[in-house]
Amino acid sequence: MNIRVKDLFYIYENNEEQVVALRGLDLNVELGECLAIRGPNGSGKSTLVKLLTGYQKPTAGEIYIDDQNISEIDPIQLRRQYVASINQNGSLIKELTVRENLALAYSLNSSLASRSTEITSQILEEHSLSHLATRYPDQLSAGERQYVSLLAAVATDPQVLVADEPTEELDHAGAKIIYSLLKSLCSKTIVILVTHDIRAEEYATRTVRIREGRISEEWSAGEAEKSVIDEFGWMRVREVTQDVPKRVKRAISENVTPILEANGLKLTYSPKEIFSDVNFSGRPGQLLALDSTLPTKTGKSSLLRILSGLVDADVGSVLVNGQAIGGLDREARAQLRKALVSYLPQRGNALERITLGEYLGSTVVDLGKSLNHRRSSPLGNFSGGERARIELLKIIAESRPILLLDEPISQMDERRTNEAIEALFGYLENGGLVIMSTRNEILLEAADHIIHLG
Ligand code: ADP
Ligand code: MG
């Protein structure tokens, strides 16, 4: 069994704009390989996924599973029987429990449908998940959700499983579990993992890198990278790598007045206490980090929302510029944010339908040559990593005194990550305060304090 991608092109065409996302991509994958596809933001990875899963039709080129051209298979049939997929949010139905989601998935497998209930119990047991059987997807950790999504995705015995950034939101331990499950699936299903997560190296037997819509390098586990020169003789220039950003830490005197203080914060999502007795102060020029390499659900995102004044802690107070935000009404809080605080939630703020130009407004941001000229494109037309970068650079350019950032760079490739970190270091140099959750080693290293929750 194999999947063959031949000279694939995809062009997005909207109104005035044409974006060539794939330009002559060739790729063969055999059963038994655990393939990882890497590549910078906007290189065409998700576009390839949409074509493999039949959500979009190639502008040119073909995809074959064994010898069948997938354009001849009805897209619904294709996704039911041939190509299963999951994305970074998993693929479970919110209104169904774990057991019901799996049973539904098995009921779609014609040879197992009559025994779907029994098989579901068996699978839950085999994977030590029985304790989660009656939970709804919202009641699972991100890692558990992805795990169950993967099991549901392969319930129909698909020939191919495509996972687009499945570990994006997971801590190290969670990612490891997903990679080992993917690895165990490789023997029966062609697994194609799309990611920019270097942790995927332990899973992959072969890795290919996409750049500008074509395969640019490939290598097998333990080998050095090899450039791929295709039949058109397109030699690729090596990717520009940036130096690892360095921050010169300055000791900031305790005598400097804090611009943000957290006093005795406690948060409970009943019946569970999330954190308590959280105390810290942030001064201009400081970087305070919440370490996301640690297990999720310790309340990092909740803490950032509390600091922004969008929600209140159960106990304790937050002072911004000496003023307790607990005592302010909504309007006053919004005013305070406008003057002093920028908050960037994990999934960003930007609306899909407004254009890049409208979103940036009068804020001056240099997004580089590939994006600067796309100001009339709606934000929904940019890749996840491109959007994350646009939002972060805008917020930094607005230069309010406090930045609250929830995993702002986790979607960016290595080069963009380094650029973003440079920009953050510049902001700190200019006396800004950054409080952020991150699993980036450079930032954790550069932090003045790590805030511990618990
Ligand atoms: P990746 O997943 O590798 O980050 P994508 O496949 O999402 O990249 O995007 C490839 C290119 O296509 C990018 O330049 C992106 O901005 C562009 N693109 C993605 N979706 C659309 C769309 N709906 N309309 C126009 N351009 C798009
Ligand atoms: Mg993508």
Side-chain angles (χ1 to χ4, degrees):
M1 195 162 64
N2 61 24
I3 184 161
R4 285 180 299 137
V5 174
K6 283 198 63 165
D7 205 16
L8 206 60
F9 279 77
Y10 191 82
I11 303 177
Y12 290 97
E13 292 196 67
N14 321 293
N15 308 330
E16 319 255 297
E17 172 187 65
Q18 273 203 354
V19 181
V20 187
L22 295 177
R23 38 188 113 204
L25 185 130
D26 287 313
L27 179 66
N28 291 340
V29 198
E30 298 290 333
L31 178 63
E33 284 187 298
C34 302
L35 185 79
I37 298 184
R38 302 249 300 265
N41 300 137
S43 56
K45 301 182 298 297
S46 294
T47 304
L48 175 62
V49 171
K50 287 180 222 162
L51 300 182
L52 290 173
T53 47
Y55 284 106
Q56 278 160 15
K57 294 259 173 255
T59 309
E62 270 91 39
I63 301 170
Y64 297 92
I65 294 181
D66 288 333
D67 283 318
Q68 190 164 20
N69 189 329
I70 68 166
S71 69
E72 288 157 12
I73 307 172
D74 171 60
I76 291 176
Q77 218 52 28
L78 178 75
R79 293 191 286 272
R80 275 182 76 148
Q81 288 177 13
Y82 296 82
V83 188
S85 63
I86 72 159
N87 60 23
Q88 54 172 277
N89 313 318
S91 52
L92 299 176
I93 299 174
K94 279 204 172 79
E95 292 73 18
L96 301 181
T97 63
V98 166
R99 182 187 295 283
E100 289 163 344
N101 262 291
L102 284 173
L104 175 65
Y106 278 103
S107 72
L108 298 175
N109 181 330
S110 47
S111 60
L112 300 176
S114 59
R115 296 189 294 130
S116 62
T117 322
E118 181 194 329
I119 294 174
T120 299
S121 300
Q122 223 170 309
I123 289 284
L124 285 169
E125 200 145 305
E126 225 169 83
H127 291 268
S128 312
L129 295 173
S130 303
H131 62 293
L132 303 178
T134 57
R135 294 213 204 154
Y136 290 90
D138 283 347
Q139 299 168 323
L140 302 177
S141 74
E144 290 164 346
R145 202 151 51 228
Q146 290 303 61
Y147 198 98
V148 178
S149 298
L150 278 173
L151 292 180
V154 295
T156 48
D157 286 326
Q159 260 119 320
V160 185
L161 171 70
V162 185
D164 193 0
E165 312 263 11
T167 58
E168 170 104 35
E169 304 207 334
L170 308 189
D171 55 64
H172 287 336
K176 228 183 156 83
I177 294 171
I178 293 302
Y179 291 135
S180 70
L181 176 59
L182 282 171
K183 191 148 191 113
S184 70
L185 296 173
C186 293
S187 58
K188 264 184 75 189
T189 304
I190 296 175
V191 177
I192 300 179
L193 167 68
V194 176
T195 187
H196 57 256
D197 184 357
I198 40 174
R199 300 175 296 188
E201 288 289 321
E202 57 194 79
Y203 138 92
T205 54
R206 180 158 73 106
T207 305
V208 300
R209 179 174 292 134
I210 299 192
R211 209 154 67 222
E212 294 174 20
R214 290 168 242 166
I215 305 288
S216 58
E217 281 97 19
E218 75 163 87
W219 63 95
S220 299
E223 265 182 19
E225 294 182 23
K226 285 188 296 230
S227 295
V228 173
I229 302 166
D230 54 42
E231 56 188 301
F232 304 99
W234 275 327
M235 274 285 279
R236 276 88 188 196
V237 258
R238 282 199 75 79
E239 206 165 352
V240 198
T241 48
Q242 263 216 336
D243 292 342
V244 176
K246 280 223 166 56
R247 173 172 186 227
V248 190
K249 274 196 229 182
R250 297 172 212 281
I252 290 172
S253 157
E254 296 277 309
N255 297 331
V256 175
T257 317
I259 184 160
L260 186 145
E261 286 170 273
N263 297 320
L265 296 179
K266 173 173 172 175
L267 178 69
T268 313
Y269 291 135
S270 67
K272 209 170 125 209
E273 181 177 300
I274 307 292
F275 53 70
S276 66
D277 208 23
V278 174
N279 297 289
F280 59 86
S281 36
R283 298 178 163 78
Q286 282 189 322
L287 171 60
L288 310 186
L290 293 150
D291 184 350
S292 321
T293 61
L294 303 172
T296 40
K297 301 268 163 182
T298 52
K300 295 180 287 286
S301 299
S302 305
L303 177 68
L304 290 165
R305 276 195 295 272
I306 291 169
L307 298 178
S308 74
L310 288 170
V311 294
D312 288 321
D314 299 316
V315 179
S317 62
V318 175
L319 306 183
V320 174
N321 228 1
Q323 187 170 30
I325 48 181
L328 304 177
D329 62 14
R330 273 173 78 108
E331 179 57 32
R333 289 182 192 205
Q335 289 299 339
L336 186 76
R337 268 196 298 276
K338 218 165 178 173
L340 299 173
V341 186
S342 292
Y343 165 60
L344 188 57
Q346 195 158 9
R347 295 199 179 283
N349 281 317
L351 298 168
E352 303 245 312
R353 259 175 289 164
I354 64 168
T355 65
L356 174 60
E358 287 164 343
Y359 177 67
L360 295 178
S362 57
T363 311
V364 180
V365 185
D366 180 9
L367 296 168
K369 67 173 179 347
S370 63
L371 298 187
N372 274 338
H373 74 277
R374 290 180 62 188
R375 294 179 69 95
S376 56
S377 274
L379 291 172
N381 288 2
F382 292 91
S383 78
E386 287 170 337
R387 217 147 50 185
R389 176 162 169 266
I390 292 165
E391 294 200 47
L392 181 62
L393 293 183
K394 178 187 180 209
I395 255 187
I396 292 176
E398 284 170 347
S399 60
R400 293 179 191 153
I402 303 173
L403 293 191
L404 305 173
L405 311 171
D406 200 353
E407 294 283 356
I409 58 172
S410 65
Q411 292 200 59
M412 297 182 201
D413 61 61
E414 198 178 335
R415 173 166 153 234
R416 296 310 191 192
T417 296
N418 286 346
E419 267 177 31
I421 294 175
E422 283 287 3
L424 281 171
F425 287 173
Y427 169 87
L428 291 164
E429 275 292 298
N430 289 326
L433 166 66
V434 178
I435 305 179
M436 70 189 299
S437 63
T438 186
R439 53 174 138 81
N440 181 279
E441 312 269 322
I442 302 169
L443 287 167
L444 291 171
E445 180 65 28
D448 298 287
H449 293 293
I450 305 279
I451 302 170
H452 292 282
L453 297 178

